[in-house]
Amino acid sequence: MKITKLTTYIVPPRWCFLKIETDAGIVGWGEPVVEGRAHSVAAAVEELSDYLIGKDPRNIEDHWTVLYRGGFYRGGAIHMSALAGIDQALWDIKGKHLGVPVSQLLGGNVRDRIRVYSWIGGDRPADTAAAAKSAVERGFTAVKMNGTEELQYIDSFDKVEKCLENVAAVRDAVGPNVGIGVDFHGRVHKPMAKVLMKELDPFKLMFIEEPVLSEHYEALKELAPLTSTPIALGERLFSRWDFKRVLSEGYVDIIQPDPSHAGGITETRKIAAMAEAYDVALALHCPLGPIALATCLQIDAGCYNAFIQEQSLGIHYNAANDLLDYVSNREVFAYDDGMVAIPQGPGLGIEVNEEYVKERAAVGHRWRNPIWRHADGSFAEW
């Protein structure tokens, strides 16, 4: 079997899909994308395709090694996301060729379903209590919300009070036993993170996500002792080498690699195994499309330390299209009792509606994240 063609599709709301074709007629799908840089990732896929055309798609580990190491310069968001989508599609091909789910090729399942959480609110948290109550009524047992709007290095306490009010309203709406994740989204610098993390402790959160940007990881040495809440991060890390320091220094309780950014299935599995060795939980990042979610679930199936899965159904970014629009077997993502089953079909376990993908690719997108500024005109982290 030989790879014959790679085709990318830029589709609304902000995704990029990849189809890899073979001379055996088997097609694999991946989702190589960086939110706001979809076209850059598609260009990187096209560059990497020079090596892949004519190769046997089943030699996944070797292809990953060459595509990562063979360009001299390596790593980073664009390269690793392009490699991630390719890797996903190669696993999809291999599973379809053998007639089994990818999870079976990775050693089999340790679970048949996994807990999922629902995003509530938007970029600027609003009406989160009502959204949380609605999510729980739909069967979710966990939700995640943005904690704050933009914050200066040192900011006024009314911003802190607003965050606390929002979280308190959500806790009151859902009761004591629903998990609440609060995402600082890298908007908070260390001085204000000290204040927020201490003040949020009474709400018994499921986790605090990205309390500071990953490049300020050393700040966690000061921040971790201020809270009993588990600390999560990792969506902006891209390889096992990026995670090595995070895990070895011991201040993070949950890692959140994104299999559409962190080198695909091949690399994310290795990151997850590293985390297990440090007794750190896994909660894969996935505010993306159906191929990315199917990929996450195939990884979750065999990772003992996976405990919850992000998913994008109804997320505020999904205006033009939503999670289920591009798959023919929508029932594969049927949520029940706050969980979703691991797909059991061959490969990634989803059937991509290729005609609809092509239809929406004709529309495309130019999604960009908002640019925020502080009151003094300086740039604010989004």
Side-chain angles (χ1 to χ4, degrees):
M1 183 161 48
K2 305 296 181 186
I3 296 170
T4 57
K5 189 177 182 180
L6 289 81
T7 308
T8 53
Y9 301 94
I10 306 293
V11 296
R14 56 176 191 160
W15 304 331
C16 176
F17 295 164
L18 165 66
K19 180 178 73 170
I20 297 184
E21 299 175 58
T22 68
D23 60 0
I26 301 174
V27 170
W29 289 90
E31 195 166 331
V33 67
V34 171
E35 299 91 306
R37 298 290 183 268
H39 292 81
S40 299
V41 177
V45 170
E46 193 277 330
E47 290 180 331
L48 294 173
S49 71
D50 291 348
Y51 174 78
L52 290 168
I53 299 297
K55 298 291 194 302
D56 187 332
R58 293 167 292 188
N59 298 330
I60 298 172
E61 188 72 35
D62 186 62
H63 295 330
W64 195 99
T65 300
V66 172
L67 294 177
Y68 177 76
R69 297 181 183 273
F72 187 76
Y73 298 102
R74 58 190 67 166
I78 303 301
H79 178 200
M80 296 304 287
S81 298
L83 177 51
I86 291 170
D87 184 81
Q88 293 167 8
L90 295 180
W91 280 106
D92 194 29
I93 289 170
K94 193 161 189 173
K96 289 173 178 174
H97 173 65
L98 296 171
V100 296
V102 167
S103 63
Q104 290 300 314
L105 302 178
L106 299 173
N109 295 10
V110 300
R111 61 177 53 83
D112 54 19
R113 57 182 183 156
I114 190 167
R115 191 182 184 194
V116 290
Y117 65 78
S118 176
W119 260 97
I120 55 172
D123 286 338
R124 298 181 183 275
D127 298 324
T128 44
K133 188 173 182 180
S134 174
V136 171
E137 288 171 351
R138 297 195 310 273
F140 288 98
T141 61
V143 296
K144 186 171 81 173
M145 60 186 285
N146 278 313
T148 72
E149 299 187 2
E150 59 268 53
L151 281 181
Q152 272 282 14
Y153 273 85
I154 306 293
D155 218 319
S156 56
F157 206 79
D158 63 317
K159 300 277 188 72
V160 176
E161 291 287 0
K162 183 63 176 175
C163 172
L164 300 178
E165 288 170 9
N166 285 337
V167 175
V170 171
R171 177 55 77 203
D172 287 344
V174 301
N177 298 320
V178 169
I180 302 173
V182 173
D183 190 355
F184 285 11
H185 217 252
R187 298 171 184 174
V188 184
H189 298 279
K190 182 177 73 169
M192 295 306 295
K194 286 183 174 182
V195 178
L196 281 167
M197 292 175 75
K198 188 174 182 180
E199 295 288 339
L200 284 168
D201 217 34
F203 296 104
K204 296 180 172 56
L205 301 177
M206 180 171 61
F207 57 76
I208 291 174
E209 180 172 338
E210 275 198 324
V212 291
L213 289 165
S214 295
E215 53 259 42
H216 301 312
Y217 176 78
E218 67 282 351
L220 294 183
K221 183 176 182 179
E222 296 178 52
L223 296 174
L226 300 176
T227 181
S228 61
T229 301
I231 294 173
L233 63 77
E235 69 189 66
R236 289 188 259 197
L237 302 176
F238 309 110
S239 72
R240 73 199 92 149
W241 298 281
D242 289 344
F243 278 94
K244 180 167 62 172
R245 178 188 170 202
V246 167
L247 292 169
S248 66
E249 293 188 3
Y251 300 113
V252 170
D253 307 291
I254 304 162
I255 59 160
Q256 300 170 303
D258 187 319
S260 279
H261 301 331
I265 293 169
T266 298
E267 185 70 354
T268 306
R269 277 272 299 185
K270 294 174 182 177
I271 294 167
M274 288 172 60
E276 185 182 349
Y278 285 93
D279 206 22
V280 169
L282 178 72
L284 296 176
H285 181 256
C286 189
L288 297 171
I291 304 169
L293 179 56
T295 294
C296 288
L297 295 175
Q298 295 296 334
I299 297 170
D300 290 328
C303 290
Y304 177 72
N305 52 337
F307 81 101
I308 202 164
Q309 178 59 58
E310 182 174 25
Q311 52 81 43
S312 76
L313 187 63
I315 198 171
H316 51 288
Y317 305 118
N318 294 359
N321 282 104
D322 211 336
L323 178 71
L324 304 178
D325 294 350
Y326 293 102
V327 292
S328 301
N329 57 335
R330 295 184 174 202
E331 71 283 353
V332 77
F333 294 135
Y335 302 143
D336 181 46
D337 195 26
M339 296 191 177
V340 65
I342 307 299
Q344 294 301 305
L348 295 178
I350 57 170
E351 299 167 10
V352 175
N353 185 339
E354 186 172 346
E355 291 307 310
Y356 188 68
V357 169
K358 291 177 179 177
E359 177 185 328
R360 297 303 287 158
V363 176
H365 69 82
R366 298 284 292 185
W367 188 87
R368 299 291 184 266
N369 66 251
I371 300 299
W372 288 0
R373 293 190 180 274
H374 295 295
D376 63 4
S378 63
F379 176 83
E381 293 283 356
W382 167 73

